[in-house]
Amino acid sequence: METYDALLASIAPTSGQSRTILDPATGTVVGEAPVHALEDLERAVAAAAAAQPEWAALGHDARSAALLRAADAVERSAEELARLLSREQGKPLNGPNARFEVGACAAWLRAAAGTPMEPETVVDDGETRAELHHRPIGVVGAIGPWNWPMMITIWQIAPALRMGNAVVVKPSEYTPLSVLALAKVLNEELPEGLLTVVSGGRDVGEALAGHPAIGKIMFTGSTATGKAIIRSSADTVKRLTLELGGNDAGIVLPDADPKAIAEGLFWGAFINTGQTCAALKRLYVHSDIYDAVCEELTAVAAAMPMGVGLDEANVLGPLQNRQQFDIVARLVDAARDAGAKILLGGNPDTDQPGYFYPATLVADIDNNNPLVAEEQFGPALPIIRYSTVDEAVTMANALDVGLGASVWSSDPAAARGVATRIQAGTVWINKHGAVDPRVPFGGAKQSGYGLEFGVEGLKALGVPQVING
Ligand code: NAD
């Protein structure tokens, strides 16, 4: 018996195709997920289009009140949701993982409900009065990844609903149960048809991105899929918010205190066992403190327990799927073969069940090595030595992605000066990856376009309309 059994039963497939979802930590069965087809997508879009006008007519206050009730519903079911998420995605209950993710769902719903959204008077000079409003788009499609399946779904749907839209969600094939369960809980407080999850494959994603009745796609996933969505959406001139892949750089300035920053560096890189878009994936350290930073980071990383998510002791889990495990293993092996030094990890135990890859630190590595240049999206951090800040900034900016970045220093003013030279949507100082529902978040270069969170995030889910009289 599991606490989430009733919830899982309520989302079980009743007809059509289904797929067995296995726990990535143990290989045991979590449950059956429906495999929805294009007819299911058509039904969901029609129901959304029918429910949307009445929802839009409710106005901001009533919609915000419903989102607050939905946040309460998430909190009532928090432990069931966290345990199911832990089993399907693999992330531990503890640490900044499953319980944290469910908590963030409630927090982001409340933030979307509580952010003021008023028309702006752009000009009012006695002759012209021009106001900028944001009208509902209609039906929004939300397509998401498998790493933070619940939280990213909320990032997409909370502002969409707040702005008066209906939503059709297409979750990742790897983590459909988490998203179906979350939507089931949210729908306790939402009108019928307004929010539907279509748990299909890539064909359903493509059809959603090209559907004439969908006004906007909120997409979070890889850069390659983002480009495919741009193409699918071109004929219907859809609005798009694209949160795509990253390969975030961190620069440690020579005045940083290695001991003081080691834990922040660790979680910046290894949160969700490295399966995080805006995680630290390339660490540039000044040669004066290179050895000390490597030593302190190794001490922190070596002490972090990894294992099955439902075990309360663990804070790191498995990779979510075999494909991701193979990518990480290939890149670490290539780094070792090229002469880089493995300070920790790099030696997965392939006899045990589950896609566990140990926390891995790789030193004395060339900046052109694939472990540095490619998005490895797992628990391996290359640490690159530099001698001038100009050199570090050039290396940080050399890739065609730019989601996040960070600068680490005992002098925040000096760190800010370096931050302004980095090409990334967010540059954190003495932390990495700290997202906040009040603060806009989005990528530079091929990490995507459009902003999420805060008032900017709400505006992105509306159609701007000027009333000029
Ligand atoms: P993915 O691109 O493989 O899949 C994401 C979603 O797109 C899935 O639901 C998938 O079914 C769907 N999809 C696949 N092909 C499609 C198509 N042609 N048309 C429409 N939909 C299609 O990504 P993933 O492997 O699930 O997630 C990992 C990636 O996501 C990493 O690159 C990571 O950096 C990125 N990511 C970015 C952010 C961010 O905020 N920028 C957050 C999390 C993850």
Side-chain angles (χ1 to χ4, degrees), residues 7 70 73-75 77 81 180-189:
L7 187 55
V74 167
E75 277 170 356
S77 298
L81 288 170
L180 286 159
L182 175 69
K184 179 81 189 169
V185 169
L186 297 173
N187 274 327
E188 290 170 17
E189 302 296 343

Side-chain angles (χ1 to χ4, degrees), residues 359-413:
T360 298
L361 296 169
V362 182
D364 298 336
I365 183 165
D366 189 86
N367 192 49
N368 297 321
N369 189 284
L371 182 64
V372 183
E374 292 178 28
E375 185 193 31
Q376 48 81 17
F377 214 60
L381 180 67
I383 310 170
I384 305 105
R385 192 188 297 265
Y386 75 84
S387 37
T388 68
V389 173
D390 284 351
E391 185 196 352
V393 169
T394 301
M395 290 193 286
N397 288 340
L399 301 182
D400 56 13
V401 285
L403 187 56
S406 55
V407 183
W408 304 73
S409 169
S410 300
D411 177 354

Side-chain angles (χ1 to χ4, degrees), residues 303-359:
M304 295 291 175
M306 174 182 280
V308 174
L310 293 187
D311 181 337
E312 300 274 351
N314 294 322
V315 294
L316 298 173
L319 274 309
Q320 205 281 327
N321 52 71
R322 174 94 232 170
Q323 191 189 352
Q324 201 59 48
F325 179 94
D326 289 344
I327 291 172
V328 176
R330 170 177 63 79
L331 290 171
V332 173
D333 289 349
R336 184 194 286 110
D337 293 348
K341 185 170 164 194
I342 311 289
L343 298 175
L344 184 74
N347 55 342
D349 175 358
T350 44
D351 290 339
Q352 68 166 335
Y355 306 127
F356 288 102
Y357 197 95

Side-chain angles (χ1 to χ4, degrees), residues 13-282:
T14 46
S15 61
Q17 285 191 317
S18 68
R19 200 153 54 86
T20 305
I21 301 291
L22 302 180
D23 183 331
T26 59
T28 56
V29 174
V30 181
E32 290 294 314
V35 178
H36 289 138
L38 294 177
E39 306 85 80
D40 300 297
L41 175 66
E42 289 305 328
R43 269 196 292 277
V45 173
Q52 187 267 335
E54 206 173 313
W55 174 250
L58 283 178
H60 280 294
D61 289 350
R63 293 196 300 264
S64 290
L67 292 186
L68 292 176
R69 291 195 301 276
D72 293 342
V74 167
E75 277 170 356
R76 280 196 302 275
S77 298
E79 192 62 12
E80 292 98 299
L81 288 170
R83 294 180 81 86
L84 179 58
L85 172 64
S86 175
R87 288 222 51 219
E88 184 184 51
Q89 204 285 332
K91 63 184 70 191
L93 283 171
N94 260 330
N97 293 299
R99 289 192 183 114
F100 168 85
E101 180 166 351
V102 175
C105 291
W108 256 266
L109 280 164
R110 293 213 167 93
T115 303
M117 188 66 212
E118 301 291 341
E120 293 162 42
T121 303
V122 187
V123 176
D124 188 7
D125 63 3
E127 274 177 39
T128 296
R129 183 178 162 83
E131 290 170 356
L132 178 61
H133 297 250
H134 286 84
R135 304 294 180 208
I137 296 169
V139 184
V140 169
I143 305 178
W146 47 260
N147 56 341
W148 293 89
M150 289 186 181
M151 186 174 76
I152 288 173
T153 299
I154 288 288
W155 289 0
Q156 298 175 330
I157 68 179
L161 294 172
R162 164 67 198 276
M163 293 301 286
N165 305 292
V167 191
V168 176
V169 181
K170 208 304 273 171
S172 166
E173 298 88 318
Y174 289 115
T175 51
L177 298 175
S178 298
V179 177
L180 286 159
L182 175 69
K184 179 81 189 169
V185 169
L186 297 173
N187 274 327
E188 290 170 17
E189 302 296 343
L190 297 174
E192 200 173 330
L194 194 69
L195 168 67
T196 306
V197 177
V198 183
S199 161
R202 174 182 290 220
D203 55 332
V204 170
E206 273 177 37
L208 187 60
H211 202 292
I214 300 288
K216 169 150 191 168
I217 295 287
M218 298 291 288
F219 174 70
T220 298
S222 64
T223 299
T225 306
K227 290 177 185 175
I229 287 176
I230 295 171
R231 285 189 283 269
S232 307
S233 68
D235 280 348
T236 47
V237 194
K238 275 186 194 18
R239 285 158 176 76
L240 300 174
T241 292
L242 301 176
E243 296 287 357
L244 309 179
N247 195 347
D248 290 9
I251 298 179
V252 180
L253 299 182
D255 71 347
D257 175 348
K259 199 174 181 63
I261 63 173
E263 191 155 339
L265 288 174
F266 175 81
W267 282 115
F270 290 90
I271 183 165
N272 201 28
T273 314
Q275 302 161 104
T276 300
C277 53
L280 177 48
K281 304 209 178 81
R282 306 175 276 151

